């Protein structure tokens, strides 16, 4: 299942992230692709706010992984930014596989590692829209069918 939609601004991007929060569950993988400044972190912030995060969610660009746990959020989440990852072997050191047992993953820059690493992902690609704002192209694996369809 796939589709495309228009996001007028960062607020619309965060609101779309909030719409994903109610259906997110442990073991889910959400891949966030797009150039710098296209809305990946804004979307992740919306998801986290929808899960109950009261404070600001920092970008994990320098830390690589930013975990969120109960009671801070209703579902444990690991927000990863793989921009600085140069080899898929580095993922093992990060422990992302272990995180899937009890957490959901929000992964920025997933193209930095082989696509085969991700099982049943929801893949979102953000791009600049010709008339301003952003376009979002999404591809949902079978695990996501009937769970989330953006509008």
């Amino acid at each position: 299942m796939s589709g495309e939609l228009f996001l007028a601004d960062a607020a619309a991007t965060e609101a779309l992230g909030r719409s994903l929060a109610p259906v997110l569950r442990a073991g889910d993988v959400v891949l966030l692709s797009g150039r710098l400044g296209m809305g990946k972190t804004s979307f992740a912030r919306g998801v986290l706010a929808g899960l109950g995060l009261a404070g600001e969610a920092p970008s994990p660009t320098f830390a690589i992984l930013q975990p969120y746990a109960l009671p801070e959020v209703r579902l444990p989440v690991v927000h990863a930014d793989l921009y600085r990852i140069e080899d898929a072997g580095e993922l093992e050191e990060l422990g992302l596989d272990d995180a899937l047992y009890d957490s959901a993953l929000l992964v920025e820059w997933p193209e930095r590692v082989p696509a085969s690493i991700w099982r049943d992902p929801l893949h979102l690609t953000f791009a600049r829209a010709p008339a301003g704002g952003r376009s979002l192209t999404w591809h949902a694996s079978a695990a996501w069918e009937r769970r989330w369809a953006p509008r």
Side-chain angles (χ1 to χ4, degrees), residues 114-127:
S116 61
I117 288 175
W118 314 114
R119 67 172 203 262
D120 296 321
L122 172 61
H123 194 164
L124 309 176
T125 303
F126 299 86

Side-chain angles (χ1 to χ4, degrees), residues 6-145:
F6 174 75
L7 300 165
D9 52 26
T13 304
E14 285 190 30
L16 186 64
R18 282 181 185 264
S19 77
L20 177 65
V23 299
L24 199 62
R25 48 190 185 210
D28 281 344
V29 176
V30 181
L31 305 178
L32 306 170
S33 294
R35 299 176 71 111
L36 289 170
M38 290 297 110
K40 298 178 299 292
T41 301
S42 293
F43 182 87
R45 287 180 175 141
V47 172
L48 292 163
L51 291 172
L53 184 67
E56 179 70 24
S59 171
T61 300
F62 295 104
I64 300 177
L65 297 182
Q66 183 66 48
Y68 297 90
L70 304 172
E72 186 176 36
V73 288
R74 72 161 179 80
L75 169 75
V77 173
V78 175
H79 183 189
D81 185 325
L82 305 183
Y83 185 75
R84 297 181 318 146
I85 298 296
E86 296 185 17
D87 181 272
E90 294 177 64
L91 287 183
E92 190 171 316
E93 293 175 29
L94 295 174
L96 289 180
D97 281 345
D98 294 335
L100 286 172
Y101 290 109
D102 66 354
S103 304
L105 296 181
L106 302 175
V107 182
E108 297 187 38
W109 299 97
E111 55 279 350
R112 302 288 291 165
V113 297
S116 61
I117 288 175
W118 314 114
R119 67 172 203 262
D120 296 321
L122 172 61
H123 194 164
L124 309 176
T125 303
F126 299 86
R128 189 173 313 281
R134 303 289 183 261
S135 68
L136 169 70
T137 304
W138 56 276
H139 299 280
S141 69
W144 287 92
E145 287 184 20

